[in-house]
Amino acid sequence: MTRVLITGFAPFGGERVNPSWQAASLVAAEPPAGLTVTAVELPCVFGESLDVLREAILDRAPDLVLCLGQAGGRPGVTVERVGINVDDARIPDNAGGQPIDEPVVPGGPAAYFSTLPVKACVAAMREAGVPAAVSNTAGTFVCNHVAYGLGHLVATEFPDIRGGFAHVPWAPEQVPDGTAPALPPATVAHGLRALLATAARTPAEQDLKITEGATH
């Protein structure tokens, strides 16, 4: 059995729910065949989120880590290719912190690439009927903080773990007027199960050689 740790965030920015945690909980409750999945909620707080993630890795000893965050306005699940070493918060986190142009890890490399097969994961979600795409920016808020921080943990402390980050759209209850894209957390969870099943059997170096690039 492949041991998977999946994380989502607590609500932030005045929202009552966070679909990343809703979807993570659903996947843990009904994991793909051959995988055991544990879900952990991360605080939407710079620094503390990585402390909780590190403790969860130490406690659960996963083979695979998938961290999730909310990306309101995106129409599908977006698998992040890279996390960058900068915190630049447009809004305060849930503890009131608002770092500007500060490194996630002082002295760390400029970026970490996902160690998941991002294109194969996207293809698997699309095949499952869930809209998905590769993303080349995880932003500069707590989501990127965790995406980069996970890469650093894998590179420096947990080399036997593979991991990456994905953003999920708003849940329908967050946009009741229908003016922005939304996906039910159950639909997101369905796609994430396909993602995890693919990631568990596909090393990053065997990712699909297909175009998923962007011109801007």
Side-chain angles (χ1 to χ4, degrees), residues 11-41:
F12 70 97
E15 298 282 355
R16 295 191 306 109
V17 299
N18 191 316
S20 68
W21 175 240
Q22 291 175 311
S25 300
L26 290 171
V27 174
E30 191 177 338
L35 278 62
T36 59
V37 180
T38 303
V40 171
E41 185 181 62

Side-chain angles (χ1 to χ4, degrees), residues 20-124:
S20 68
W21 175 240
Q22 291 175 311
S25 300
L26 290 171
V27 174
E30 191 177 338
L35 278 62
T36 59
V37 180
T38 303
V40 171
E41 185 181 62
L42 301 183
C44 190
V45 178
F46 290 99
E48 185 182 348
S49 53
L50 289 180
D51 292 339
V52 174
L53 175 60
R54 183 176 183 274
E55 287 303 313
I57 292 173
L58 288 170
D59 185 53
R60 274 76 173 186
D63 304 301
L64 194 68
V65 179
L66 176 65
C67 296
L68 304 175
Q70 170 188 295
R74 292 188 184 182
V77 181
T78 48
V79 183
E80 300 298 338
R81 193 196 301 255
V82 62
I84 60 173
N85 193 15
V86 64
D87 292 330
D88 190 7
R90 182 179 58 82
I91 60 174
D93 66 15
N94 284 357
Q98 193 171 3
I100 298 174
D101 298 339
E102 296 181 11
V104 180
V105 178
Y112 283 110
F113 284 102
S114 174
T115 52
L116 303 182
V118 294
K119 294 182 177 181
C121 288
V122 166

Side-chain angles (χ1 to χ4, degrees), residues 66-67 74 77-85 110-122 125-126 132-139 143-144 146-152 163-167 195 204 207-216:
L66 176 65
C67 296
R74 292 188 184 182
V77 181
T78 48
V79 183
E80 300 298 338
R81 193 196 301 255
V82 62
I84 60 173
N85 193 15
Y112 283 110
F113 284 102
S114 174
T115 52
L116 303 182
V118 294
K119 294 182 177 181
C121 288
V122 166
M125 283 189 286
R126 289 174 180 164
V134 172
S135 169
N136 295 300
T137 175
C143 285
N144 175 76
V146 166
Y148 180 90
L150 173 61
H152 190 71
F165 195 98
H167 272 111
L195 182 160
D207 200 4
L208 297 177
K209 199 71 172 178
I210 57 174
T211 181
E212 288 286 348
T215 57
H216 59 279

